[in-house]
Amino acid sequence: MAGGGAAASALSSPWRALLQRALDANAHLKHSTFFQLATVGGGGRPANRTVVFRGFQEHCDKIQINTDARSNKIGEIKEWPLGEICWYFTDSWEQFRISGIIDVIDGSSPDPAKLQQREKAWFASSVKSRSQYLGQSPGVPVANDDHIKDVHIDPSAGPVDAYCLLTLDPEKVDYVNLKSNQRLMFTRTQEGVESSDWMAEKVSP
Amino acid sequence: MAGGGAAASALSSPWRALLQRALDANAHLKHSTFFQLATVGGGGRPANRTVVFRGFQEHCDKIQINTDARSNKIGEIKEWPLGEICWYFTDSWEQFRISGIIDVIDGSSPDPAKLQQREKAWFASSVKSRSQYLGQSPGVPVANDDHIKDVHIDPSAGPVDAYCLLTLDPEKVDYVNLKSNQRLMFTRTQEGVESSDWMAEKVSP
């Protein structure tokens, strides 16, 4: 499951090289690893929020995102696991729209490989970032400054209950470069298979 | 329809002041007027793309977006007119999530006031920006450099068929400031009424 057999995929996915180039070209900007993740909530309402790119899962193209298991989006994604990332690079004027299926990996996952993945992602994030999962549930009404509490976390302690790893498995990538005015559409030709091929097509911007 | 009776609304909407402050604080960045618009497409698939803020419709809170009537999103939005904007200000670390109903105003609108609104938005955009609607339909396969053509547009000519104005009428605004770690949730209390009141609540970030 951790994608052992998909090593070739990660190397061959043609949009990965473009994305890596954009990440390098915009690396001087803190927000270059931020993107917007759209999902569909209750009643078919679109939901959209900024999240942070936490790298790819090893040996595959799955995009990792850390989130709070207590946030609304978790229930919504479990119900309807489709997502589209919109990642705009403000310095190089490149946009990647990446759509795919999202996997919610919280502490209740029955899959040991997924739990290991979650633990790995937990330790890969900073202690400061981990400590936010000890705070109040997101989106809950607060009295003034109720939520500002000092929380301490043991750096060697594993993931807390509130920590949830999301992985988005790309099926389609719509790339546009606003400087060169070029647009490329990448479509995965073997959906649902870990190892996959991609088709690329040049389309009008 | 152009919102004559809603002048008080535009003045009193409490999130407008926060948004204006963010726009001012980030005005030195070209991308400060870019945001991501999420909608729901065929088969309930979330769609997400970067668009440009074209100001508010006069005397109300409706957010204006220019788009190409030939793009996929137009049919999708007509089918399912809900949208959520995610607007992240990279310098002040503020995020506005603005959800509401989207109105598609193309040349076929039977409402003279809406057509006037569309014409006004057309002339408010640059001649260069207008000329893009004379190019090839977006997303269509192209042979190499087929799409790079010189197009000329008469600056005094009204909107072309491919030009479409979208307006998003906010119903809920979720504001978070990542520097002060404060989050405010604004909810419109009189949905569907032009003139409206807003409720604000402080929630945990």
Side-chain angles (χ1 to χ4, degrees), chain A residues 30-31 34 36-40 43-51 80 82-88 90-91 93 95 97 99-101 136-145 147-148 171 178 180-183 185 191 201-205, chain B residues 30-31 34 36-40 43-51 80 82-88 90-91 93 95 97 99-101 136-145 147-148 171 178 180-183 185 191 201-205:
Chain A
K30 177 188 159 63
H31 62 263
F34 296 4
Q36 280 70 36
L37 173 67
T39 54
V40 182
R45 299 195 85 88
N48 205 4
R49 75 290 281 170
T50 306
V51 292
W80 194 253
L82 302 180
E84 183 157 279
I85 287 167
C86 183
W87 199 345
Y88 182 69
T90 58
D91 209 28
W93 298 13
Q95 174 181 269
R97 296 174 62 182
S99 62
I101 294 176
Q136 206 169 356
S137 290
V140 167
V142 288
N144 277 353
D145 304 329
H147 61 290
I148 303 174
E171 289 179 347
L178 294 176
S180 67
N181 215 27
Q182 292 211 316
R183 186 173 172 192
M185 193 78 80
E191 291 197 22
E201 188 176 33
K202 199 171 178 180
V203 298
S204 50
Chain B
K30 178 188 157 64
H31 62 263
F34 296 4
Q36 280 70 36
L37 173 68
T39 54
V40 182
R45 298 195 87 86
N48 205 4
R49 74 291 279 170
T50 306
V51 292
W80 195 254
L82 302 181
E84 183 157 279
I85 287 167
C86 184
W87 198 345
Y88 182 69
T90 58
D91 209 31
W93 299 13
Q95 174 181 268
R97 297 174 61 182
S99 62
I101 293 174
Q136 206 169 355
S137 289
V140 167
V142 288
N144 276 353
D145 305 329
H147 62 288
I148 303 173
E171 289 180 348
L178 295 176
S180 67
N181 215 25
Q182 292 211 315
R183 186 173 172 192
M185 193 77 80
E191 291 196 22
E201 189 176 34
K202 198 171 179 179
V203 299
S204 50

Side-chain angles (χ1 to χ4, degrees), chain B residues 177-195:
Chain B
N177 184 319
L178 295 176
K179 286 187 181 170
S180 67
N181 215 25
Q182 292 211 315
R183 186 173 172 192
L184 290 166
M185 193 77 80
F186 299 95
T187 313
R188 206 164 86 181
T189 52
Q190 291 171 274
E191 291 196 22
V193 182
E194 284 279 319
S195 147

Side-chain angles (χ1 to χ4, degrees), chain A residues 103-184:
Chain A
D103 196 9
V104 176
I105 310 175
D106 56 23
S108 73
S109 173
D111 183 335
K114 289 190 185 183
L115 287 175
Q116 203 176 4
Q117 195 64 35
R118 173 174 174 262
E119 190 177 79
K120 197 170 175 179
W122 167 263
F123 284 114
S125 62
S126 70
V127 173
K128 192 184 168 203
S129 158
R130 286 178 229 166
S131 68
Q132 80 188 53
Y133 297 99
L134 294 179
Q136 206 169 356
S137 290
V140 167
V142 288
N144 277 353
D145 304 329
D146 254 13
H147 61 290
I148 303 174
K149 284 204 191 90
D150 255 344
V151 285
H152 292 285
I153 197 156
D154 173 1
S156 66
V160 297
D161 284 350
Y163 171 67
C164 181
L165 173 66
L166 301 178
T167 64
L168 183 140
D169 194 14
E171 289 179 347
K172 206 171 125 184
V173 179
D174 180 350
Y175 166 78
V176 65
N177 184 319
L178 294 176
K179 286 188 181 169
S180 67
N181 215 27
Q182 292 211 316
R183 186 173 172 192
L184 290 166

Side-chain angles (χ1 to χ4, degrees), chain B residues 37 39 73-82 102 104 166:
Chain B
L37 173 68
T39 54
K73 65 174 164 301
I74 298 306
E76 293 178 354
I77 295 170
K78 281 183 173 175
E79 197 77 26
W80 195 254
L82 302 181
I102 305 173
V104 176
L166 301 178

Side-chain angles (χ1 to χ4, degrees), chain A residues 11-40:
Chain A
L11 292 172
S12 64
S13 298
W15 53 272
R16 284 278 296 263
L18 285 173
L19 182 60
Q20 192 54 56
R21 198 184 61 182
L23 279 165
D24 293 343
N26 295 269
H28 58 293
L29 299 168
K30 177 188 159 63
H31 62 263
S32 63
T33 57
F34 296 4
F35 54 70
Q36 280 70 36
L37 173 67
T39 54
V40 182

